[in-house]
Amino acid sequence: MNIIKKSYLIFFILCYSVNAQNIKASSVKKEMKRVANWQIDHFRDTYSGRKKPHHIADWTNGALYVGMVKYAEIAKNKKYWKWLKNIGEQQNWKLHWRKYHADDHVVGQMYVELYRKYGDKEMIAETIKGMNYIIDNPSKEPITLDNYKHLERWTWCDALFMAPPLLAKLANETNDSKYTTFMMREYEATKQHLFDFEENLFYRDNSYIGKLAHGNKIFWSRGNGWVFGGLTLIMDEYEKDSEAYEYFKDIYLKMAKKLIDIQTPQGHWAMSLLSQDVYPTPETSGTSFFTFGLAWGINNGLLDKSTYLPHIEKAWSSLCSHITKDGMLGYVQPIGAAPGNAWADKTEVYGAGAFLAAGAEIYKMLKK
């Protein structure tokens, strides 16, 4: 590394260190508002090179709604709840079109949260009906993902954000253990298939198991972000001494320890988690999910604050540095299934959702 590059890196790291020490709850809320408002204004834009906007019940938007719910809870402005409620009404409170596909279940998480706020059972009736059908008629497809044929079960790690938290929420709202029983059985099948017990990270799907790139195993940042963020959403629904909570807590703690070991000096996480040198470009969706999960861990007493807070602060400063003056979160990797590219002037709705979830947990942490 030449002297100019080395000097720039030192300056870059020092800037993040200084900024991290000055994070205030008010500034966190301000950045969340900017991102939330920009995303609402640009909700029906096209992203990831698509010719049409995402369907309102698509998984991409479902992830946005998860973060928007969390922002609505602290914004003290009814417009965000109204915006979410209007989407549910447009969709007639139905899940998306594929009966078994986890991606088409994630919108149900928003329906449950709106039911919790408004108390209208119509908001979750179709979701309960859909999940009951799957439980009563479980898919007989294998847990492997072969040429994208088998998407009826959680054969790819992203699915662990999409469907399991919804089942956990339904277990809570209906007081029926069948949702937990089914969810934990299927989750364990995916874990045994995709979790690397040496690295404490998840492969995106079985096509990456046993493969190396640049001498390292391939662990996709956003894929693991989906898992890590999803774990917090699941644990929120269970008592701390329950069997389910302890099961997910074990996975969570292993991943959390690994994540702070592989965070980049700049504060983000590399798109291929073990290959920082090959993927130096910032990526904000995976980083947002990890930041969300780590801040949640401090707020819920699972992570030591003195150990994890510096990593959260550095990550948050990195994320905020990639928000444009108009409020768009840049460097969100487009739709994909592996490490790739990200650009300062490109975003995606799920990136904004993850950012809002991260901000909500940091805001709570700073307000304590």
Side-chain angles (χ1 to χ4, degrees):
M1 185 181 294
N2 61 41
I3 294 175
I4 294 176
K5 287 184 178 179
K6 189 177 290 184
S7 298
Y8 175 77
L9 180 59
I10 292 172
F11 173 76
F12 194 70
I13 294 171
L14 285 174
C15 284
Y16 274 115
S17 298
V18 171
N19 290 338
Q21 295 170 0
N22 295 320
I23 295 176
K24 305 294 183 185
S26 58
S27 69
V28 171
K29 193 173 182 180
K30 179 181 177 181
E31 295 300 329
M32 292 174 69
K33 181 179 181 180
R34 293 177 62 223
V35 170
N37 288 345
W38 185 93
Q39 195 60 74
I40 288 174
D41 290 342
H42 295 267
F43 178 56
R44 302 310 290 156
D45 288 2
T46 56
Y47 301 98
S48 293
R50 303 295 173 102
K51 293 182 180 179
K52 295 181 180 180
H54 300 308
H55 191 282
I56 59 171
D58 190 61
W59 65 269
T60 48
N61 284 321
L64 168 64
Y65 307 149
V66 169
M68 198 67 76
V69 163
K70 291 184 177 296
Y71 177 60
E73 290 173 342
I74 64 174
K76 295 182 179 179
N77 188 327
K78 293 180 180 179
K79 85 170 199 175
Y80 302 103
W81 287 115
K82 289 180 179 179
W83 184 77
L84 291 164
K85 188 169 180 283
N86 180 60
I87 289 167
E89 290 169 347
Q90 288 181 56
Q91 184 60 16
N92 293 316
W93 305 106
K94 293 180 180 179
L95 301 175
H96 207 11
W97 65 281
R98 293 168 292 189
K99 191 175 304 245
Y100 285 95
H101 201 306
D103 285 356
D104 290 356
H105 302 158
V106 64
V107 68
Q109 295 185 44
M110 178 188 74
Y111 298 160
V112 175
E113 294 304 323
L114 288 172
Y115 165 70
R116 287 171 171 172
K117 180 170 179 62
Y118 294 105
D120 184 352
K121 290 186 178 180
E122 181 185 356
M123 294 175 171
I124 59 171
E126 288 294 325
T127 296
I128 290 174
K129 181 180 176 181
M131 293 299 102
N132 284 352
Y133 181 88
I134 293 171
I135 292 172
D136 294 338
N137 304 274
S139 172
K140 295 180 173 57
E141 295 286 2
I143 198 64
T144 54
L145 179 62
D146 301 319
N147 298 318
Y148 286 84
K149 292 179 181 177
H150 308 306
L151 293 165
E152 292 188 356
R153 296 179 68 196
W154 305 336
T155 55
W156 71 110
C157 72
D158 318 27
L160 299 181
F161 179 93
M162 310 298 172
L166 173 58
L167 289 161
K169 290 176 188 292
L170 293 181
N172 212 340
E173 291 305 316
T174 64
N175 199 31
D176 192 332
S177 62
K178 71 179 182 182
Y179 299 103
T180 298
T181 300
F182 177 84
M183 184 263 290
M184 291 190 66
R185 185 184 73 224
E186 288 298 293
Y187 202 109
E188 175 64 9
T190 303
K191 176 189 171 185
Q192 291 300 324
H193 182 47
L194 298 180
F195 189 64
D196 187 303
F197 288 85
E198 293 181 355
E199 299 293 349
N200 289 324
L201 296 168
F202 279 80
Y203 293 102
R204 196 275 176 177
D205 57 64
N206 55 262
S207 68
Y208 298 95
I209 298 173
K211 292 184 179 179
L212 299 178
H214 312 286
N216 294 317
K217 296 176 182 177
I218 306 168
F219 296 109
W220 183 34
S221 177
R222 187 163 68 238
N224 279 273
W226 288 123
V227 177
F228 197 60
L231 285 168
T232 74
L233 299 175
I234 296 169
M235 285 189 285
D236 271 338
E237 303 300 325
Y238 293 101
E239 297 292 334
K240 288 193 174 183
D241 59 349
S242 67
E243 178 184 352
Y245 190 91
E246 291 299 318
Y247 171 83
F248 293 109
K249 174 181 147 183
D250 177 68
I251 303 170
Y252 171 86
L253 291 176
K254 289 174 179 175
M255 290 188 73
K257 185 177 185 300
K258 180 68 176 186
L259 288 171
I260 63 169
D261 289 341
I262 58 176
Q263 186 180 20
T264 69
Q266 295 86 359
H268 63 271
W269 277 267
M271 280 183 269
S272 187
L273 290 173
L274 303 185
S275 298
Q276 294 183 22
D277 55 334
V278 182
Y279 292 92
T281 305
E283 202 289 304
T284 55
S285 61
T287 295
S288 291
F289 279 124
F290 295 142
T291 308
F292 161 47
L294 293 173
W296 181 94
I298 289 178
N299 288 338
N300 286 272
L302 295 186
L303 300 180
D304 176 65
K305 189 172 184 178
S306 64
T307 300
Y308 284 87
L309 181 57
H311 294 276
I312 294 167
E313 291 175 327
K314 189 162 63 170
W316 182 252
S317 293
S318 174
L319 289 168
C320 291
S321 74
H322 302 309
I323 302 172
T324 68
K325 65 179 181 179
D326 296 327
M328 186 197 81
L329 179 67
Y331 282 112
V332 179
Q333 184 187 0
I335 293 172
N341 296 310
W343 297 267
D345 62 345
K346 286 184 172 58
T347 194
E348 254 290 4
V349 288
Y350 46 74
F355 177 86
L356 293 173
E361 289 298 330
I362 293 173
Y363 180 80
K364 293 174 188 175
M365 180 178 64
L366 296 175
K367 291 291 285 184
K368 284 185 177 180

